[in-house]
Amino acid sequence: MNLQIQSVHFSPDARLIDLVKRKVEKLPSFEKRITDVCVFLKLDNPAHHIKDKVVEIRVHVPHYDFFVKTCSKSFEHSFEDAFSSLVIQMKRKKDRVQSQFQPARFQWFFVTPKGVKNRLKIFPISKFPYLCLPKILG
């Protein structure tokens, strides 16, 4: 996992960089395949007296990118908000992918020539010469 921290219109102090590194080290617990993490620290409207601190986090995973942008009065608060929303995005993506590949639940039953239905959970098909049908449970 490559970490890039870029600051625009200012030079960050060591405490802010340490905060970013500590938080980014926790990301592999949510997604194992992270290749790149880019953190952009920006000052919005540097010419004016009111300076908003903007933090952008971009996480690259194969076949997908996560991106978060937040704005606040301090970089620490902006980064905390961005990191928490990034974690939520990653959890939602993981849940969505896992729910796509969950197998459907089946209950097997077979029909005898007389039409009697016997419900079975698992049975080898070769033992029963009758028609075996899966029934999808809601």
Side-chain angles (χ1 to χ4, degrees), residues 26-57:
K26 296 177 184 178
L27 283 178
S29 64
F30 302 107
E31 178 65 54
K32 302 290 184 204
R33 302 175 299 146
I34 295 174
T35 57
D36 293 322
V37 177
C38 298
V39 179
F40 299 98
L41 307 169
K42 300 180 183 180
L43 283 177
D44 196 23
N45 294 330
H48 295 87
H49 293 290
I50 301 172
K51 296 180 183 176
D52 287 333
K53 279 68 171 183
V54 179
V55 174
E56 297 177 0
I57 304 174

PDB file of all heavy atoms in Angstrom, residues 26-57:
ATOM      1  N   LYS A  26      -4.855   1.812   9.403  1.00  0.00           N
ATOM      2  CA  LYS A  26      -6.021   1.022   9.791  1.00  0.00           C
ATOM      3  C   LYS A  26      -6.870   0.591   8.589  1.00  0.00           C
ATOM      4  O   LYS A  26      -7.733  -0.275   8.726  1.00  0.00           O
ATOM      5  CB  LYS A  26      -6.901   1.816  10.756  1.00  0.00           C
ATOM      6  CG  LYS A  26      -6.229   2.138  12.059  1.00  0.00           C
ATOM      7  CD  LYS A  26      -7.121   2.968  12.935  1.00  0.00           C
ATOM      8  CE  LYS A  26      -6.405   3.384  14.204  1.00  0.00           C
ATOM      9  NZ  LYS A  26      -7.254   4.227  15.054  1.00  0.00           N
ATOM     10  N   LEU A  27      -6.647   1.174   7.429  1.00  0.00           N
ATOM     11  CA  LEU A  27      -7.483   0.878   6.260  1.00  0.00           C
ATOM     12  C   LEU A  27      -7.439  -0.583   5.800  1.00  0.00           C
ATOM     13  O   LEU A  27      -8.456  -1.110   5.377  1.00  0.00           O
ATOM     14  CB  LEU A  27      -7.126   1.801   5.091  1.00  0.00           C
ATOM     15  CG  LEU A  27      -7.648   3.222   5.183  1.00  0.00           C
ATOM     16  CD1 LEU A  27      -7.177   4.022   3.986  1.00  0.00           C
ATOM     17  CD2 LEU A  27      -9.153   3.242   5.269  1.00  0.00           C
ATOM     18  N   PRO A  28      -6.291  -1.271   5.836  1.00  0.00           N
ATOM     19  CA  PRO A  28      -6.304  -2.676   5.389  1.00  0.00           C
ATOM     20  C   PRO A  28      -7.219  -3.591   6.198  1.00  0.00           C
ATOM     21  O   PRO A  28      -7.556  -4.680   5.739  1.00  0.00           O
ATOM     22  CB  PRO A  28      -4.842  -3.112   5.521  1.00  0.00           C
ATOM     23  CG  PRO A  28      -4.074  -1.864   5.371  1.00  0.00           C
ATOM     24  CD  PRO A  28      -4.918  -0.800   6.017  1.00  0.00           C
ATOM     25  N   SER A  29      -7.659  -3.179   7.368  1.00  0.00           N
ATOM     26  CA  SER A  29      -8.602  -4.008   8.116  1.00  0.00           C
ATOM     27  C   SER A  29      -9.993  -3.984   7.473  1.00  0.00           C
ATOM     28  O   SER A  29     -10.792  -4.880   7.705  1.00  0.00           O
ATOM     29  CB  SER A  29      -8.687  -3.552   9.568  1.00  0.00           C
ATOM     30  OG  SER A  29      -9.211  -2.246   9.640  1.00  0.00           O
ATOM     31  N   PHE A  30     -10.275  -2.972   6.657  1.00  0.00           N
ATOM     32  CA  PHE A  30     -11.560  -2.879   5.978  1.00  0.00           C
ATOM     33  C   PHE A  30     -11.502  -3.410   4.554  1.00  0.00           C
ATOM     34  O   PHE A  30     -12.501  -3.903   4.036  1.00  0.00           O
ATOM     35  CB  PHE A  30     -12.048  -1.430   5.954  1.00  0.00           C
ATOM     36  CG  PHE A  30     -12.183  -0.830   7.313  1.00  0.00           C
ATOM     37  CD1 PHE A  30     -11.281   0.108   7.766  1.00  0.00           C
ATOM     38  CD2 PHE A  30     -13.202  -1.238   8.161  1.00  0.00           C
ATOM     39  CE1 PHE A  30     -11.397   0.657   9.023  1.00  0.00           C
ATOM     40  CE2 PHE A  30     -13.328  -0.696   9.424  1.00  0.00           C
ATOM     41  CZ  PHE A  30     -12.419   0.247   9.853  1.00  0.00           C
ATOM     42  N   GLU A  31     -10.364  -3.297   3.892  1.00  0.00           N
ATOM     43  CA  GLU A  31     -10.207  -3.778   2.518  1.00  0.00           C
ATOM     44  C   GLU A  31      -8.775  -4.264   2.349  1.00  0.00           C
ATOM     45  O   GLU A  31      -7.825  -3.512   2.581  1.00  0.00           O
ATOM     46  CB  GLU A  31     -10.503  -2.643   1.525  1.00  0.00           C
ATOM     47  CG  GLU A  31     -10.325  -3.012   0.076  1.00  0.00           C
ATOM     48  CD  GLU A  31     -11.297  -4.070  -0.390  1.00  0.00           C
ATOM     49  OE1 GLU A  31     -12.508  -3.890  -0.226  1.00  0.00           O
ATOM     50  OE2 GLU A  31     -10.811  -5.086  -0.928  1.00  0.00           O
ATOM     51  N   LYS A  32      -8.613  -5.512   1.955  1.00  0.00           N
ATOM     52  CA  LYS A  32      -7.286  -6.126   1.889  1.00  0.00           C
ATOM     53  C   LYS A  32      -6.498  -5.749   0.636  1.00  0.00           C
ATOM     54  O   LYS A  32      -5.284  -5.781   0.638  1.00  0.00           O
ATOM     55  CB  LYS A  32      -7.412  -7.661   1.925  1.00  0.00           C
ATOM     56  CG  LYS A  32      -8.127  -8.178   3.138  1.00  0.00           C
ATOM     57  CD  LYS A  32      -7.319  -8.008   4.376  1.00  0.00           C
ATOM     58  CE  LYS A  32      -8.040  -8.624   5.551  1.00  0.00           C
ATOM     59  NZ  LYS A  32      -7.635  -8.045   6.801  1.00  0.00           N
ATOM     60  N   ARG A  33      -7.189  -5.383  -0.435  1.00  0.00           N
ATOM     61  CA  ARG A  33      -6.521  -5.213  -1.729  1.00  0.00           C
ATOM     62  C   ARG A  33      -6.176  -3.762  -2.060  1.00  0.00           C
ATOM     63  O   ARG A  33      -6.058  -3.414  -3.222  1.00  0.00           O
ATOM     64  CB  ARG A  33      -7.403  -5.785  -2.834  1.00  0.00           C
ATOM     65  CG  ARG A  33      -7.746  -7.246  -2.634  1.00  0.00           C
ATOM     66  CD  ARG A  33      -8.723  -7.740  -3.671  1.00  0.00           C
ATOM     67  NE  ARG A  33      -9.967  -6.987  -3.576  1.00  0.00           N
ATOM     68  CZ  ARG A  33     -10.727  -6.685  -4.626  1.00  0.00           C
ATOM     69  NH1 ARG A  33     -10.373  -7.075  -5.820  1.00  0.00           N
ATOM     70  NH2 ARG A  33     -11.846  -6.012  -4.474  1.00  0.00           N
ATOM     71  N   ILE A  34      -5.956  -2.920  -1.091  1.00  0.00           N
ATOM     72  CA  ILE A  34      -5.639  -1.509  -1.336  1.00  0.00           C
ATOM     73  C   ILE A  34      -4.245  -1.403  -1.936  1.00  0.00           C
ATOM     74  O   ILE A  34      -3.285  -1.979  -1.426  1.00  0.00           O
ATOM     75  CB  ILE A  34      -5.718  -0.701  -0.028  1.00  0.00           C
ATOM     76  CG1 ILE A  34      -7.142  -0.689   0.501  1.00  0.00           C
ATOM     77  CG2 ILE A  34      -5.213   0.712  -0.250  1.00  0.00           C
ATOM     78  CD1 ILE A  34      -7.281  -0.033   1.850  1.00  0.00           C
ATOM     79  N   THR A  35      -4.137  -0.655  -3.043  1.00  0.00           N
ATOM     80  CA  THR A  35      -2.833  -0.459  -3.668  1.00  0.00           C
ATOM     81  C   THR A  35      -2.281   0.935  -3.410  1.00  0.00           C
ATOM     82  O   THR A  35      -1.108   1.080  -3.117  1.00  0.00           O
ATOM     83  CB  THR A  35      -2.913  -0.702  -5.185  1.00  0.00           C
ATOM     84  OG1 THR A  35      -3.895   0.169  -5.745  1.00  0.00           O
ATOM     85  CG2 THR A  35      -3.278  -2.143  -5.485  1.00  0.00           C
ATOM     86  N   ASP A  36      -3.105   1.971  -3.538  1.00  0.00           N
ATOM     87  CA  ASP A  36      -2.648   3.353  -3.366  1.00  0.00           C
ATOM     88  C   ASP A  36      -3.611   4.129  -2.482  1.00  0.00           C
ATOM     89  O   ASP A  36      -4.822   3.948  -2.571  1.00  0.00           O
ATOM     90  CB  ASP A  36      -2.568   4.079  -4.707  1.00  0.00           C
ATOM     91  CG  ASP A  36      -1.491   3.517  -5.604  1.00  0.00           C
ATOM     92  OD1 ASP A  36      -0.430   3.153  -5.081  1.00  0.00           O
ATOM     93  OD2 ASP A  36      -1.716   3.452  -6.825  1.00  0.00           O
ATOM     94  N   VAL A  37      -3.039   5.017  -1.671  1.00  0.00           N
ATOM     95  CA  VAL A  37      -3.834   5.955  -0.884  1.00  0.00           C
ATOM     96  C   VAL A  37      -3.217   7.335  -1.096  1.00  0.00           C
ATOM     97  O   VAL A  37      -2.027   7.537  -0.841  1.00  0.00           O
ATOM     98  CB  VAL A  37      -3.827   5.605   0.620  1.00  0.00           C
ATOM     99  CG1 VAL A  37      -4.612   6.637   1.404  1.00  0.00           C
ATOM    100  CG2 VAL A  37      -4.378   4.222   0.860  1.00  0.00           C
ATOM    101  N   CYS A  38      -4.029   8.272  -1.585  1.00  0.00           N
ATOM    102  CA  CYS A  38      -3.581   9.646  -1.798  1.00  0.00           C
ATOM    103  C   CYS A  38      -4.384  10.561  -0.880  1.00  0.00           C
ATOM    104  O   CYS A  38      -5.613  10.536  -0.904  1.00  0.00           O
ATOM    105  CB  CYS A  38      -3.786  10.078  -3.241  1.00  0.00           C
ATOM    106  SG  CYS A  38      -2.857   9.116  -4.416  1.00  0.00           S
ATOM    107  N   VAL A  39      -3.677  11.357  -0.089  1.00  0.00           N
ATOM    108  CA  VAL A  39      -4.322  12.315   0.814  1.00  0.00           C
ATOM    109  C   VAL A  39      -3.890  13.708   0.371  1.00  0.00           C
ATOM    110  O   VAL A  39      -2.699  14.010   0.303  1.00  0.00           O
ATOM    111  CB  VAL A  39      -3.918  12.058   2.285  1.00  0.00           C
ATOM    112  CG1 VAL A  39      -4.577  13.076   3.190  1.00  0.00           C
ATOM    113  CG2 VAL A  39      -4.288  10.655   2.701  1.00  0.00           C
ATOM    114  N   PHE A  40      -4.877  14.546   0.053  1.00  0.00           N
ATOM    115  CA  PHE A  40      -4.618  15.918  -0.359  1.00  0.00           C
ATOM    116  C   PHE A  40      -5.087  16.847   0.756  1.00  0.00           C
ATOM    117  O   PHE A  40      -6.249  16.810   1.161  1.00  0.00           O
ATOM    118  CB  PHE A  40      -5.366  16.256  -1.648  1.00  0.00           C
ATOM    119  CG  PHE A  40      -4.962  15.409  -2.812  1.00  0.00           C
ATOM    120  CD1 PHE A  40      -5.711  14.302  -3.176  1.00  0.00           C
ATOM    121  CD2 PHE A  40      -3.832  15.715  -3.544  1.00  0.00           C
ATOM    122  CE1 PHE A  40      -5.351  13.525  -4.240  1.00  0.00           C
ATOM    123  CE2 PHE A  40      -3.454  14.934  -4.620  1.00  0.00           C
ATOM    124  CZ  PHE A  40      -4.215  13.836  -4.977  1.00  0.00           C
ATOM    125  N   LEU A  41      -4.188  17.675   1.242  1.00  0.00           N
ATOM    126  CA  LEU A  41      -4.499  18.668   2.265  1.00  0.00           C
ATOM    127  C   LEU A  41      -4.427  20.031   1.592  1.00  0.00           C
ATOM    128  O   LEU A  41      -3.369  20.432   1.110  1.00  0.00           O
ATOM    129  CB  LEU A  41      -3.502  18.576   3.419  1.00  0.00           C
ATOM    130  CG  LEU A  41      -3.330  17.195   4.041  1.00  0.00           C
ATOM    131  CD1 LEU A  41      -2.143  17.184   4.984  1.00  0.00           C
ATOM    132  CD2 LEU A  41      -4.589  16.786   4.770  1.00  0.00           C
ATOM    133  N   LYS A  42      -5.533  20.755   1.565  1.00  0.00           N
ATOM    134  CA  LYS A  42      -5.591  22.013   0.825  1.00  0.00           C
ATOM    135  C   LYS A  42      -6.135  23.139   1.696  1.00  0.00           C
ATOM    136  O   LYS A  42      -6.971  22.918   2.571  1.00  0.00           O
ATOM    137  CB  LYS A  42      -6.514  21.885  -0.395  1.00  0.00           C
ATOM    138  CG  LYS A  42      -6.101  20.854  -1.390  1.00  0.00           C
ATOM    139  CD  LYS A  42      -7.089  20.811  -2.539  1.00  0.00           C
ATOM    140  CE  LYS A  42      -6.738  19.731  -3.524  1.00  0.00           C
ATOM    141  NZ  LYS A  42      -7.695  19.674  -4.637  1.00  0.00           N
ATOM    142  N   LEU A  43      -5.693  24.335   1.401  1.00  0.00           N
ATOM    143  CA  LEU A  43      -6.292  25.538   1.974  1.00  0.00           C
ATOM    144  C   LEU A  43      -7.201  26.126   0.916  1.00  0.00           C
ATOM    145  O   LEU A  43      -6.763  26.431  -0.197  1.00  0.00           O
ATOM    146  CB  LEU A  43      -5.221  26.550   2.356  1.00  0.00           C
ATOM    147  CG  LEU A  43      -4.449  26.282   3.628  1.00  0.00           C
ATOM    148  CD1 LEU A  43      -3.376  27.334   3.814  1.00  0.00           C
ATOM    149  CD2 LEU A  43      -5.367  26.261   4.820  1.00  0.00           C
ATOM    150  N   ASP A  44      -8.473  26.293   1.252  1.00  0.00           N
ATOM    151  CA  ASP A  44      -9.421  26.857   0.320  1.00  0.00           C
ATOM    152  C   ASP A  44      -9.427  28.380   0.486  1.00  0.00           C
ATOM    153  O   ASP A  44      -9.481  28.877   1.606  1.00  0.00           O
ATOM    154  CB  ASP A  44     -10.811  26.282   0.577  1.00  0.00           C
ATOM    155  CG  ASP A  44     -11.760  26.529  -0.572  1.00  0.00           C
ATOM    156  OD1 ASP A  44     -11.273  26.733  -1.697  1.00  0.00           O
ATOM    157  OD2 ASP A  44     -12.983  26.498  -0.330  1.00  0.00           O
ATOM    158  N   ASN A  45      -9.371  29.104  -0.601  1.00  0.00           N
ATOM    159  CA  ASN A  45      -9.330  30.576  -0.609  1.00  0.00           C
ATOM    160  C   ASN A  45      -8.160  31.116   0.218  1.00  0.00           C
ATOM    161  O   ASN A  45      -8.351  31.763   1.245  1.00  0.00           O
ATOM    162  CB  ASN A  45     -10.637  31.169  -0.089  1.00  0.00           C
ATOM    163  CG  ASN A  45     -11.800  30.874  -0.997  1.00  0.00           C
ATOM    164  OD1 ASN A  45     -11.624  30.733  -2.202  1.00  0.00           O
ATOM    165  ND2 ASN A  45     -12.986  30.790  -0.426  1.00  0.00           N
ATOM    166  N   PRO A  46      -6.924  30.896  -0.196  1.00  0.00           N
ATOM    167  CA  PRO A  46      -5.790  31.374   0.599  1.00  0.00           C
ATOM    168  C   PRO A  46      -5.661  32.893   0.600  1.00  0.00           C
ATOM    169  O   PRO A  46      -5.017  33.458   1.483  1.00  0.00           O
ATOM    170  CB  PRO A  46      -4.588  30.718  -0.071  1.00  0.00           C
ATOM    171  CG  PRO A  46      -5.028  30.425  -1.453  1.00  0.00           C
ATOM    172  CD  PRO A  46      -6.505  30.177  -1.384  1.00  0.00           C
ATOM    173  N   ALA A  47      -6.277  33.592  -0.348  1.00  0.00           N
ATOM    174  CA  ALA A  47      -6.172  35.048  -0.401  1.00  0.00           C
ATOM    175  C   ALA A  47      -7.058  35.730   0.648  1.00  0.00           C
ATOM    176  O   ALA A  47      -6.764  36.838   1.080  1.00  0.00           O
ATOM    177  CB  ALA A  47      -6.542  35.539  -1.792  1.00  0.00           C
ATOM    178  N   HIS A  48      -8.126  35.085   1.058  1.00  0.00           N
ATOM    179  CA  HIS A  48      -9.045  35.675   2.014  1.00  0.00           C
ATOM    180  C   HIS A  48      -8.636  35.337   3.445  1.00  0.00           C
ATOM    181  O   HIS A  48      -7.822  34.451   3.694  1.00  0.00           O
ATOM    182  CB  HIS A  48     -10.476  35.162   1.754  1.00  0.00           C
ATOM    183  CG  HIS A  48     -11.012  35.598   0.441  1.00  0.00           C
ATOM    184  ND1 HIS A  48     -10.786  34.880  -0.710  1.00  0.00           N
ATOM    185  CD2 HIS A  48     -11.742  36.689   0.082  1.00  0.00           C
ATOM    186  CE1 HIS A  48     -11.365  35.492  -1.715  1.00  0.00           C
ATOM    187  NE2 HIS A  48     -11.953  36.603  -1.268  1.00  0.00           N
ATOM    188  N   HIS A  49      -9.225  36.048   4.401  1.00  0.00           N
ATOM    189  CA  HIS A  49      -8.913  35.787   5.805  1.00  0.00           C
ATOM    190  C   HIS A  49      -9.582  34.513   6.307  1.00  0.00           C
ATOM    191  O   HIS A  49      -9.070  33.845   7.184  1.00  0.00           O
ATOM    192  CB  HIS A  49      -9.361  36.975   6.666  1.00  0.00           C
ATOM    193  CG  HIS A  49      -8.577  38.218   6.387  1.00  0.00           C
ATOM    194  ND1 HIS A  49      -7.266  38.344   6.751  1.00  0.00           N
ATOM    195  CD2 HIS A  49      -8.911  39.375   5.766  1.00  0.00           C
ATOM    196  CE1 HIS A  49      -6.820  39.529   6.379  1.00  0.00           C
ATOM    197  NE2 HIS A  49      -7.812  40.184   5.780  1.00  0.00           N
ATOM    198  N   ILE A  50     -10.744  34.179   5.741  1.00  0.00           N
ATOM    199  CA  ILE A  50     -11.434  32.956   6.136  1.00  0.00           C
ATOM    200  C   ILE A  50     -10.846  31.818   5.317  1.00  0.00           C
ATOM    201  O   ILE A  50     -11.019  31.763   4.103  1.00  0.00           O
ATOM    202  CB  ILE A  50     -12.949  33.061   5.892  1.00  0.00           C
ATOM    203  CG1 ILE A  50     -13.520  34.230   6.688  1.00  0.00           C
ATOM    204  CG2 ILE A  50     -13.635  31.759   6.258  1.00  0.00           C
ATOM    205  CD1 ILE A  50     -14.952  34.539   6.369  1.00  0.00           C
ATOM    206  N   LYS A  51     -10.135  30.946   5.994  1.00  0.00           N
ATOM    207  CA  LYS A  51      -9.482  29.841   5.290  1.00  0.00           C
ATOM    208  C   LYS A  51     -10.108  28.532   5.733  1.00  0.00           C
ATOM    209  O   LYS A  51      -9.995  28.134   6.891  1.00  0.00           O
ATOM    210  CB  LYS A  51      -7.989  29.832   5.584  1.00  0.00           C
ATOM    211  CG  LYS A  51      -7.268  31.060   5.070  1.00  0.00           C
ATOM    212  CD  LYS A  51      -5.806  30.997   5.390  1.00  0.00           C
ATOM    213  CE  LYS A  51      -5.124  32.267   4.921  1.00  0.00           C
ATOM    214  NZ  LYS A  51      -3.714  32.289   5.289  1.00  0.00           N
ATOM    215  N   ASP A  52     -10.759  27.871   4.809  1.00  0.00           N
ATOM    216  CA  ASP A  52     -11.298  26.545   5.089  1.00  0.00           C
ATOM    217  C   ASP A  52     -10.241  25.507   4.755  1.00  0.00           C
ATOM    218  O   ASP A  52      -9.524  25.630   3.764  1.00  0.00           O
ATOM    219  CB  ASP A  52     -12.559  26.287   4.270  1.00  0.00           C
ATOM    220  CG  ASP A  52     -13.743  27.086   4.784  1.00  0.00           C
ATOM    221  OD1 ASP A  52     -13.753  27.407   5.975  1.00  0.00           O
ATOM    222  OD2 ASP A  52     -14.651  27.366   3.980  1.00  0.00           O
ATOM    223  N   LYS A  53     -10.186  24.496   5.592  1.00  0.00           N
ATOM    224  CA  LYS A  53      -9.235  23.406   5.369  1.00  0.00           C
ATOM    225  C   LYS A  53      -9.964  22.262   4.675  1.00  0.00           C
ATOM    226  O   LYS A  53     -10.957  21.760   5.169  1.00  0.00           O
ATOM    227  CB  LYS A  53      -8.655  22.907   6.689  1.00  0.00           C
ATOM    228  CG  LYS A  53      -7.523  23.744   7.243  1.00  0.00           C
ATOM    229  CD  LYS A  53      -7.936  25.070   7.695  1.00  0.00           C
ATOM    230  CE  LYS A  53      -6.821  25.785   8.449  1.00  0.00           C
ATOM    231  NZ  LYS A  53      -7.252  27.061   8.966  1.00  0.00           N
ATOM    232  N   VAL A  54      -9.467  21.841   3.527  1.00  0.00           N
ATOM    233  CA  VAL A  54     -10.089  20.807   2.715  1.00  0.00           C
ATOM    234  C   VAL A  54      -9.181  19.581   2.723  1.00  0.00           C
ATOM    235  O   VAL A  54      -7.971  19.693   2.507  1.00  0.00           O
ATOM    236  CB  VAL A  54     -10.312  21.291   1.266  1.00  0.00           C
ATOM    237  CG1 VAL A  54     -10.928  20.192   0.419  1.00  0.00           C
ATOM    238  CG2 VAL A  54     -11.173  22.535   1.249  1.00  0.00           C
ATOM    239  N   VAL A  55      -9.790  18.431   2.966  1.00  0.00           N
ATOM    240  CA  VAL A  55      -9.064  17.162   2.928  1.00  0.00           C
ATOM    241  C   VAL A  55      -9.747  16.262   1.911  1.00  0.00           C
ATOM    242  O   VAL A  55     -10.956  16.082   1.947  1.00  0.00           O
ATOM    243  CB  VAL A  55      -9.055  16.477   4.317  1.00  0.00           C
ATOM    244  CG1 VAL A  55      -8.430  15.095   4.232  1.00  0.00           C
ATOM    245  CG2 VAL A  55      -8.320  17.324   5.323  1.00  0.00           C
ATOM    246  N   GLU A  56      -8.956  15.720   0.991  1.00  0.00           N
ATOM    247  CA  GLU A  56      -9.454  14.761  -0.001  1.00  0.00           C
ATOM    248  C   GLU A  56      -8.672  13.469   0.180  1.00  0.00           C
ATOM    249  O   GLU A  56      -7.450  13.488   0.279  1.00  0.00           O
ATOM    250  CB  GLU A  56      -9.246  15.278  -1.420  1.00  0.00           C
ATOM    251  CG  GLU A  56     -10.006  16.532  -1.735  1.00  0.00           C
ATOM    252  CD  GLU A  56      -9.720  17.042  -3.137  1.00  0.00           C
ATOM    253  OE1 GLU A  56      -8.922  16.409  -3.860  1.00  0.00           O
ATOM    254  OE2 GLU A  56     -10.294  18.073  -3.494  1.00  0.00           O
ATOM    255  N   ILE A  57      -9.389  12.375   0.229  1.00  0.00           N
ATOM    256  CA  ILE A  57      -8.750  11.053   0.343  1.00  0.00           C
ATOM    257  C   ILE A  57      -9.204  10.217  -0.836  1.00  0.00           C
ATOM    258  O   ILE A  57     -10.403  10.080  -1.082  1.00  0.00           O
ATOM    259  CB  ILE A  57      -9.127  10.345   1.660  1.00  0.00           C
ATOM    260  CG1 ILE A  57      -8.780  11.213   2.867  1.00  0.00           C
ATOM    261  CG2 ILE A  57      -8.404   8.999   1.759  1.00  0.00           C
ATOM    262  CD1 ILE A  57      -9.266  10.635   4.183  1.00  0.00           C
TER     263      ILE A  57
END
